[in-house]
Each structure stands twice: as structure tokens, then as C-alpha cells.
DNA sequence: GGATGTGAATGTCTTCACAGCT
DNA sequence: AGCTGTGAAGACATTCACATCC
């Protein structure tokens, strides 16, 4: 299977959002030009066509793309036709924000377990899910596996938690801990680092 | 001034974090190899040297880099020698998490104003900052400008808020609203989209 | 006629490999 | 001898431009 650039995948995710907007507005057909224009600046018609062409040819020459059909194809490509069971490790402020974030559930990512180490948090009910002692992680995941884990622990705890998640069969990790994490190549890892985002802004500001 | 790739800037931000760890451990000197190894997988010794070489030559051949001196240089490059005044627009769950996040203040990003539209939120005190009606935005920023704004509004409100921020002189925007935003080229913009991050994971999982 | 799909060309980023300091 | 700094080579990503098909 051909390697696909991460930038391509991120754009597909954007296109999907735009297509859903168009569908909502009752628009039946779009050209690569219209799709690119919606993400103004971010991309070009040629880019849209090239991105899609890695996966097949979904348009009609002279016409463009059927909005609903293309959205379906992209959902399929991105693996969004199924639901994902997600565990959240770290019941702090960020964790609390993520649990309440509608965007996850809308896309089929369902937080089914929440862990923390703090006895004050353990037993709380968040959006219907009871916070459990992180000590139960392995036993729980054995009984009731998850596909993805979101890690929102302090930096010092993150690698250990990730190791335990990986050996419990988790195949994707979204890491919010402000540190760099190691996983075997069989596991997909994405790290989101807020401070890093602000620092790239700071750099841009410093040169303008 | 030579254009620098965003990927280079992100790595510099990482290197800085690693250098701070090394300094904390009392390590005086690092080689490009040691720095690359700390971010295992993410980079290579050659990459480290090339990234740094865009800004000058900071190492000693045969020896490596002085940890403290290099950290200082990178802070300088990233524009982290000054403090930034930051406004937060949107006092929801994510906003609340960001306000409490220590990593921002540690790096010189200080949230000095918080806005919302919800009368229930207005008047609340968050970490010593009073939430104000977003209607006061322009007047407030005129009296007391900020450098950067973090936008955490619903998607539908984001572009309008951003336009008002930009015309009030904000030069950098960190956007958490799940939509794509336009700014003039004089303004630096970064968008963080949680659902998009999960979708790239989903894509990776679907192909493994 | 009009917009896709795609090789070829261009541009950008990463890796290599070694000359040059310390 | 050891490790940096950097042109040159290679890999990768984007843009161009046009033949192709509806």
C-alpha cells in the first residue's frame, strides 16, 4: 500500500468538513476549485485533485464531485465508518474539556473509560463515565479493550502510562502531555503540544 | 531574511525543552547526536545541525554544544525573551483548561483578558482575571493592547471575532475553533483542531 | 465546454558525506 | 580524534499543464 503524506490526510479531513457544510447547504456538486476556495489560502484546486487521486477517481470530468458521495468516500478513507472506543488517562482540566467536546462523539470517537491517580477524582462521574484508579488500567482493558487512548497526564507520568497502554493492546495514542513519547512502530502516535503552538506564533511575531 | 520551514521551528521548540531537561540534570554539553536521541525517532543528528545552522553556528567542533548557551540562543530565536500579553476569547471548558495551564505562563505567555458572550460567565474571576463581555473587546484592546489572542469560540462566531481582533491590532492568533479562518498576511495564525488529530490517528489505524 | 486525473516540472525539506575547527 | 557546519544529492510534496472523458 502506497505511502500517503500526513499533510494529505490532514487536508482530506478538512475537505470532509467543507463537504459536510456544502451538503448542509443543499449543494449537490462541487468542483475542486470550489473545495479549494472554501479553505481559502490553505490549498489549491490541483492539490485537491492530487490528494483525491491517491485513493481513486471520484469525480466526473466536466462536472465535478458529487458532494454526498465524496464525503462518504473520504469518511471511508479516513476510517470513520466505524466507532472507536477511547480511553482518557488524566482527569484534569484538559481531560474535562475533551470529555465534553462534542466533536469527538460526532465523528465516532467515544470516551468509554477515564483514569486518574488522584483519590479525590476517582469515583466522580464525567458525562456518565466513572473515573477509575489508573491502577485498574490493565485489568480493565483486558476485559474491555479500547482502540485509542488520549493521554493527558503530567509529563513525568506519560511514558509509563503509554507503555502500559501499548502492552494492553491500544493501537493509537493522542498525547497531550508536554513531552516526547516513544511507541513501537505498530502503534500510531500524535502529540499535541500547546506551548509549542504558541512558540511557533512567537517566532512568527518576532520576524514581522 | 531567509524563510524558515515551520517544521524547523517546531523542532527548535522541542530542542529547547530537551536542553532544559539536560540543564536540569546538570549536563553541561550535548552533541547533535545526543539531542536527536532524546527526541527518539523524531529527528536525526544531521537535522539538528542543519536546523541550528540556519541561525548561526553555536557549537564547538569536536565538543558539541554548551547546553545553557544553546538554550539561550534558541529562546532568542523563538522570540521567548519577552513576555506576551494574551487575550482569551471564549470562556468555555477549553478556555478554562488553557487559563490554568502552567506551560503558558512559564514561557512568558500571560493571559491578561478573557471574553465571553454568556451573561452567566461575565463577571466570573478566572485565575485573577475577570471575564468581560466580548462587546468590550475593541475598547479594551485600544486602551490595553495584547500581542496574541487565543480563540475558543464556537465555529460560527470565530471569523467575526478574529476580524475584530485583527482590526484591534492583534498580531498572532491561536485558533481552537473547529473551522478554517482567514487573516491578512501580516497576522500569524495557527489552528489546532482536535477532531482532525483524531482523524489522522483513525486513518493510521485503518491501514495497519 | 468544462472539470477531472495525472505525468512532468518545479520547489521544498531531509539526509549524506566530508572539509574544517577545536 | 571528534563533532560541527554545510554544499550537494536525494527524497518528498506541490504546482503546472494538458490529454481525457462526461
Amino acid at each position: 500500500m502506497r505511502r500517503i503524506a500526513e499533510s494529505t490526510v490532514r487536508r482530506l479531513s478538512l475537505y470532509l468538513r467543507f463537504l459536510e457544510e456544502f451538503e448542509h447547504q443543499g449543494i449537490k456538486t462541487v468542483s475542486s476549485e470550489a473545495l479549494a476556495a472554501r479553505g481559502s489560502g490553505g490549498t489549491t484546486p490541483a492539490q485537491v485533485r492530487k490528494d483525491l487521486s491517491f485513493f481513486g477517481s471520484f469525480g466526473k470530468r466536466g462536472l465535478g464531485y458529487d458532494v454526498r458521495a465524496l464525503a462518504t468516500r473520504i469518511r471511508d478513507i479516513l476510517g470513520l465508518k466505524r466507532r472507536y472506543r477511547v480511553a482518557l488517562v488524566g482527569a484534569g482540566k484538559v481531560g474535562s474539556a475533551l470529555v465534553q467536546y462534542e466533536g469527538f462523539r460526532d465523528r465516532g470517537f467515544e470516551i468509554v473509560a477515564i483514569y486518574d491517580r488522584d483519590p479525590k477524582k476517582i469515583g466522580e462521574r464525567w458525562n456518565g463515565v466513572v473515573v477509575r484508579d489508573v491502577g485498574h488500567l490493565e485489568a480493565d482493558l483486558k476485559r474491555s479493550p479500547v482502540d485509542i487512548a488520549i493521554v493527558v497526564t503530567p509529563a513525568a507520568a506519560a511514558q509509563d502510562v503509554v507503555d502500559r497502554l501499548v502492552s494492553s493492546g491500544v493501537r493509537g495514542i493522542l498525547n497531550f502531555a508536554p513531552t516526547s513519547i516513544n511507541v513501537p512502530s505498530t502503534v500510531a502516535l500524535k502529540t499535541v503540544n500547546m506551548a509549542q503552538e504558541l512558540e511557533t506564533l512567537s517566532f512568527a511575531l518576532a520576524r514581522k
Side-chain angles (χ1 to χ4, degrees), chain A:
Chain A
M1 212 186 230
R2 170 92 153 290
R3 198 193 158 264
I4 301 293
E6 164 139 351
S7 50
T8 293
V9 178
R10 301 183 70 92
R11 282 191 300 265
L12 287 178
S13 170
L14 264 186
Y15 302 156
L16 176 56
R17 217 162 318 273
F18 298 156
L19 287 166
E20 287 171 346
E21 280 180 26
F22 287 138
E23 193 175 353
H24 206 73
Q25 292 164 32
I27 296 167
K28 298 286 184 213
T29 294
V30 280
S31 63
S32 57
E33 194 176 354
L35 252 186
R38 174 59 188 80
S40 34
T43 190
T44 65
Q47 183 83 78
V48 170
R49 298 200 300 276
K50 180 65 89 180
D51 286 338
L52 295 173
S53 79
F54 293 135
F55 302 96
S57 52
F58 308 132
K60 283 201 177 48
R61 299 175 194 227
L63 268 170
Y65 303 88
D66 181 275
V67 169
R68 180 190 280 263
L70 185 57
T72 300
R73 291 311 314 259
I74 294 181
R75 269 186 220 105
D76 193 21
I77 292 165
L78 292 177
L80 298 177
K81 291 241 170 134
R82 49 164 298 194
R83 300 191 70 73
Y84 289 91
R85 294 169 50 83
V86 179
L88 177 76
V89 186
K93 283 281 169 186
V94 176
S96 137
L98 293 172
V99 166
Q100 305 225 348
Y101 179 45
E102 286 299 317
F104 287 164
R105 187 175 287 254
D106 291 351
R107 283 255 180 270
F109 300 100
E110 188 167 7
I111 294 178
V112 296
I114 305 175
Y115 295 95
D116 204 295
R117 209 170 57 179
D118 182 352
K120 291 192 209 91
K121 300 258 173 64
I122 295 165
E124 285 182 15
R125 184 177 287 269
W126 284 21
N127 252 33
V129 180
V130 175
V131 177
R132 284 176 60 78
D133 188 318
V134 69
H136 298 136
L137 193 69
E138 285 88 348
D140 286 4
L141 295 189
K142 196 164 185 181
R143 249 188 291 112
S144 168
V146 301
D147 308 291
I148 292 174
I150 303 180
V151 175
V152 208
T153 64
Q159 183 66 59
D160 176 59
V161 162
V162 166
D163 291 344
R164 293 167 58 197
L165 288 163
V166 167
S167 66
S168 300
V170 170
R171 296 171 59 231
I173 305 262
L174 183 58
N175 173 43
F176 283 86
T179 181
S180 105
I181 291 287
N182 276 267
V183 293
S185 63
T186 50
V187 174
L189 169 70
K190 284 245 52 177
T191 292
V192 177
N193 187 325
M194 316 274 195
Q196 199 174 29
E197 306 298 337
L198 273 184
E199 285 172 18
T200 67
L201 273 187
S202 161
F203 176 79
L205 262 48
R207 332 193 95 210
K208 284 198 174 169

